[in-house]
Amino acid sequence: MATLSSFSSHPNPNPDPSFISPMLQPYLEHQQQHRIQPDPPPEEESPYNAVSDAQVRDSPANDSSSTFPNPNPISHARPVPAPSPIKLLHVSFNQDYGCFASGTERGFRIYNCDPFREIFRRDFEGNGGVGSVEMLFRCNILAFVGGGDSPHYPLNKVMIWDDHQGRCIGELSFRSEVRGVRLRRDRIVVVLEQKIFVYNFADLKLLHQIETIANPKGLCAVSQIMGSFVLVCPGLQKGQVRVEHYASKRTKFIMAHDSRIACFTLSQDGNLLATASSKGTLVRIFNTHDGSLLQEVRRGADRAEIYSLAFSPTSQWLAVSSDKGTVHVFSLKATANVGIDQANSSSDSNPSGVTSSSSLSFIKGVLPKYFSSEWSVAQFRLPEGSQYIVAFGHQKNTVAILGLDGSFYQCKFDPATGGEMTQLEYHNFLKPEDAF
């Protein structure tokens, strides 16, 4: 059960049902050098000033210190000792893969992917651990959960941070630790060990709660196209996923694997779902509307822990990262325009929708399934020992890779010849000399 600290403790002065909270105007923010939003500032007063101090929790801004150079340095100050190494607690891409956020034992940092540069950082004095940072595209609204040995916020709270004001403007409290947070422009989704809560972003009203099987990783995925809200989470059985179509008020259960679900992701429009089990050998792609299996691809023969899955913007490609230290890119036959009618007609003619690209597919059914599997088109090998997540870059046929060791890679693959990807750039974003 959540305890809400709402953005407003008074009746809404604007009863217009089309009213949008000032929080949800991500492209009307000021462009200071340290702001996330790059657009030019509006002429009028920022809408965030409409939220009064009495309507939000006490600001933690006084507990933070900017890491930007002091404009008035003291000429005779003592030499500053070299900072101790930064420990990363969390990395995640924003919704369109154009930026990424990192949570550290001292605070958080925001980076642009292409071109790579640090946009903003905030270090908290004292207990500054941030174990989870969720961006809302490129706007100044972020969601935090504390983490590390000295968490800045309780582990059972989600803090809604407005970096325009430099403080938290709302919070959601729970009886157990928060395992994950997902943001849309209109919704906040909070994942606990065995429950998921869906809130309206404008007023933090609880809209839906879902029971799940034990979900220590906080697995959850949401679509990002307005007007078509799709949410995927673990079901109540091992290997099962639950798909919520909020626009049509339908729930679909898919038995995706025999083993426990280890990772999944949605396409931007919510039409396609990719899943991997704890075995980590196969990845399956489903139609979320009718639950039909569209395609199955093979990462490898050995067991692996899948760290992340990502669709390309057109759903033509799927990228996979695992503890084997290799990122794979697969070609997808499922289209990005899968709809209910199209899915139903295709599933009638070909229930599985799977066609193999293996040169040994002519002996399918004679030899083990391994030999008729669809393998990745391109690969990129990483140093083992760290956890990596992957996304597709904004340039054509490029992949961005983030590591919990502070590494950022930009790679390019050739869709015609495949094989090893070409590394375009590398940065260690924890090193001061790599900060922009």
Side-chain angles (χ1 to χ4, degrees), residues 110-176:
I110 306 295
Y111 300 84
N112 191 70
C113 291
D114 188 17
F116 177 83
R117 64 186 179 93
E118 182 179 296
I119 301 175
F120 176 72
R121 70 169 69 179
R122 187 180 293 274
D123 288 348
F124 300 110
E125 293 180 354
N127 298 334
V130 176
S132 179
V133 187
E134 182 76 2
M135 299 180 67
L136 181 60
F137 291 90
R138 285 179 175 266
C139 81
N140 47 286
I141 301 298
L142 304 163
F144 293 148
V145 180
D149 296 333
S150 300
H152 190 63
Y153 304 110
L155 303 185
N156 66 327
K157 288 188 176 183
V158 176
M159 314 302 295
I160 309 301
W161 177 278
D162 178 359
D163 207 73
H164 180 75
Q165 300 188 47
R167 64 178 179 181
C168 289
I169 59 173
E171 67 180 57
L172 296 164
S173 299
F174 303 89
R175 294 177 181 173
S176 60

Side-chain angles (χ1 to χ4, degrees), residues 95-98 225 266-272 310-319 332 334-337 391-400 413:
Q95 289 84 351
D96 64 6
Y97 302 148
I225 292 183
L266 271 175
S267 58
Q268 288 282 312
D269 56 15
N271 288 330
L272 299 177
F311 285 101
S312 65
T314 61
S315 299
Q316 182 182 2
W317 308 100
L318 178 74
L332 299 184
T335 68
N337 298 315
F392 284 89
H394 285 194
Q395 296 183 39
K396 190 175 182 180
N397 301 330
T398 60
V399 171
F413 64 93

Side-chain angles (χ1 to χ4, degrees), residues 358-425:
S358 170
S359 60
L360 299 175
S361 60
F362 68 95
I363 53 175
K364 185 177 182 180
V366 179
L367 292 179
K369 194 174 184 180
Y370 174 89
F371 292 98
S372 60
S373 295
E374 295 184 58
W375 297 85
S376 58
V377 172
Q379 309 82 34
F380 184 76
R381 306 191 186 282
L382 296 155
E384 292 191 41
S386 184
Q387 183 170 335
Y388 299 93
I389 63 173
V390 64
F392 284 89
H394 285 194
Q395 296 183 39
K396 190 175 182 180
N397 301 330
T398 60
V399 171
I401 304 167
L402 288 178
L404 273 177
D405 57 357
S407 57
F408 173 85
Y409 296 87
Q410 193 89 258
C411 309
K412 187 176 182 66
F413 64 93
D414 188 327
T417 61
E420 291 294 323
M421 298 188 217
T422 302
Q423 179 177 312
L424 301 179
E425 57 182 306

Side-chain angles (χ1 to χ4, degrees), residues 7 38 81-82 86 92-93 115 117 129 154 246 256 274 312 324 339 349 354-355 364 366 395 401 408 426 431-432:
F7 297 110
I86 298 293
S92 63
F93 288 98
R117 64 186 179 93
Y246 286 97
S312 65
K324 295 298 184 181
S349 58
V354 176
T355 56
K364 185 177 182 180
V366 179
Q395 296 183 39
I401 304 167
F408 173 85
Y426 166 81
K431 290 185 178 180

Side-chain angles (χ1 to χ4, degrees), residues 118-369:
E118 182 179 296
I119 301 175
F120 176 72
R121 70 169 69 179
R122 187 180 293 274
D123 288 348
F124 300 110
E125 293 180 354
N127 298 334
V130 176
S132 179
V133 187
E134 182 76 2
M135 299 180 67
L136 181 60
F137 291 90
R138 285 179 175 266
C139 81
N140 47 286
I141 301 298
L142 304 163
F144 293 148
V145 180
D149 296 333
S150 300
H152 190 63
Y153 304 110
L155 303 185
N156 66 327
K157 288 188 176 183
V158 176
M159 314 302 295
I160 309 301
W161 177 278
D162 178 359
D163 207 73
H164 180 75
Q165 300 188 47
R167 64 178 179 181
C168 289
I169 59 173
E171 67 180 57
L172 296 164
S173 299
F174 303 89
R175 294 177 181 173
S176 60
E177 291 186 15
V178 175
R179 300 297 187 182
V181 183
R182 303 290 182 269
L183 297 183
R184 283 170 48 98
R185 289 191 175 98
D186 56 351
R187 298 290 183 266
I188 302 174
V189 179
V190 181
V191 186
L192 306 184
E193 180 84 23
Q194 292 185 292
K195 278 190 176 182
I196 290 179
F197 296 91
V198 181
Y199 297 92
N200 187 41
F201 214 146
D203 55 10
L204 292 188
K205 179 182 178 182
L206 179 62
L207 302 177
H208 192 204
Q209 55 181 314
I210 302 169
E211 301 278 347
T212 71
I213 198 171
N215 185 18
K217 290 184 177 181
L219 299 179
C220 183
V222 296
S223 63
Q224 292 299 332
I225 292 183
M226 292 297 292
S228 177
F229 179 21
V230 181
L231 179 149
V232 175
C233 64
L236 289 171
Q237 303 176 38
K238 181 180 68 174
Q240 183 188 68
V241 291
R242 174 173 178 160
V243 184
E244 291 288 339
H245 292 271
Y246 286 97
S248 57
K249 298 180 180 179
R250 293 185 303 110
T251 302
K252 184 70 181 177
F253 291 93
I254 302 173
M255 284 304 304
H257 300 272
D258 295 330
S259 304
R260 176 179 51 85
I261 299 293
C263 189
F264 53 71
T265 191
L266 271 175
S267 58
Q268 288 282 312
D269 56 15
N271 288 330
L272 299 177
L273 167 68
T275 66
S277 74
S278 54
K279 290 183 179 179
T281 54
L282 296 173
V283 177
R284 291 176 174 146
I285 296 90
F286 296 91
N287 179 335
T288 61
H289 296 280
D290 63 6
S292 61
L293 176 63
L294 300 174
Q295 194 172 347
E296 181 179 271
V297 298
R298 181 174 288 276
R299 181 213 55 81
D302 299 329
R303 294 181 72 102
E305 182 179 357
I306 302 297
Y307 289 141
S308 71
L309 301 166
F311 285 101
S312 65
T314 61
S315 299
Q316 182 182 2
W317 308 100
L318 178 74
V320 182
S321 66
S322 72
D323 63 350
K324 295 298 184 181
T326 303
V327 169
H328 295 270
V329 172
F330 297 90
S331 175
L332 299 184
K333 298 175 179 62
T335 68
N337 298 315
V338 172
I340 299 175
D341 295 336
Q342 178 185 354
N344 288 339
S345 60
S346 63
S347 62
D348 290 339
S349 58
N350 185 3
S352 69
V354 176
T355 56
S356 175
S357 60
S358 170
S359 60
L360 299 175
S361 60
F362 68 95
I363 53 175
K364 185 177 182 180
V366 179
L367 292 179
K369 194 174 184 180

